[in-house]
Amino acid sequence: MSTTIAEHDVALIDLVDRLLGGGVVISGDITLAVADVDLVYVGLRALVASVATAEEHNMLPGLGSAV
């Protein structure tokens, strides 16, 4: 039995357009420890989306006419 996987060339602009169109959440945690003692904790939560997508889902804060 032979299985083929179709190869698709995806341009960077198409990838960015798709990510911004649907939105993407970036999440991460960093802990700096010395001798098993946690000294610094950094948590990152970021939502990346286009303005149109954010407005569509009511994710923008009230900025008035700034947006």
Side-chain angles (χ1 to χ4, degrees):
M1 180 177 6
S2 175
T3 304
T4 60
I5 299 173
E7 290 185 24
H8 296 286
D9 291 333
V10 178
L12 180 61
I13 190 70
D14 293 332
L15 179 62
V16 170
D17 183 51
R18 184 173 281 217
L19 288 175
L20 291 178
V24 63
V25 175
I26 301 170
S27 176
D29 299 312
I30 298 173
T31 303
L32 177 63
V34 174
D36 289 330
V37 176
D38 294 343
L39 299 177
V40 177
Y41 170 80
V42 177
L44 170 70
R45 307 287 181 266
L47 172 66
V48 179
S50 68
V51 172
T53 301
E55 285 179 341
E56 186 178 302
H57 295 288
N58 295 324
M59 294 186 288
L60 289 177
L63 298 176
S65 62
V67 176

